[in-house]
Amino acid sequence: MKAADRRGGTVARTKAKSKLATSAGKSKVVTKRPAAARRPLPAGTPASVAMVIEAARSFEGTPYKFGGTTRLGMDCSGLLQQSFAAVNISIPRSSNEQAAWGEPVRPQDLRPGDLVFFGASPGSSTITHVGLITEATPESVQFIHSSSSLGVVENALETDYYLSRFIKAVRPRL
């Protein structure tokens, strides 16, 4: 269910676009919200969750690399592994293993720090992708992930693309 549908309205978004050169010599357009447009985390957000989110955001713009875990390139599960490592928490390496690392959460109960899991195609039940919730308000749910085409970016969960591929969410063991 889209947040705008839950509220009965539309969401205004401020985004910035920039061109990014790839190693193949091609350019691609990266769309992300400026840091100033990010809302602060809700009061009561544990410090460890805030630190994990900030660690993940520090990787924004890092290119995608299958199996990567460094600023030279990383995949989605590597991003989360490195982000949790910033608070000395060791999590499983693969998105499938990460999906079992926490308690299930209903989509309407998502909060910052929760993990969201996706399939490769609409309706798939095989987990192939993971992201970290950075914002969860009645207006929008944002998550950060390493996209195979754009690298580390934040996106809205409410887009048709992600909603159609959404499989489950978990609240990690912190």
Side-chain angles (χ1 to χ4, degrees), residues 64-82:
Y64 178 86
K65 180 179 181 187
F66 181 78
T69 58
T70 71
R71 293 190 186 279
L72 296 176
M74 63 178 35
D75 63 14
C76 59
S77 56
L79 170 65
L80 295 190
Q81 191 177 48
Q82 294 303 307

Side-chain angles (χ1 to χ4, degrees), residues 1-13 137-141 158-159 163:
M1 169 181 351
K2 291 185 179 182
D5 294 339
R6 289 192 305 263
R7 287 187 340 281
T10 60
V11 177
R13 300 199 197 298
T137 67
E139 293 80 33
S140 179
V141 174
E158 297 86 11
T159 64
L163 282 179

Side-chain angles (χ1 to χ4, degrees), residues 58-122:
S58 77
F59 288 102
E60 279 186 301
T62 299
Y64 178 86
K65 180 179 181 187
F66 181 78
T69 58
T70 71
R71 293 190 186 279
L72 296 176
M74 63 178 35
D75 63 14
C76 59
S77 56
L79 170 65
L80 295 190
Q81 191 177 48
Q82 294 303 307
S83 299
F84 280 91
V87 293
N88 297 316
I89 295 174
S90 177
I91 70 170
R93 177 62 179 96
S94 75
S95 55
N96 258 331
E97 294 169 327
Q98 290 173 358
W101 188 71
E103 296 299 317
V105 178
R106 298 180 314 167
Q108 60 269 35
D109 295 332
L110 288 170
R111 64 185 188 206
D114 290 343
L115 309 181
V116 285
F117 298 89
F118 306 91
S121 59

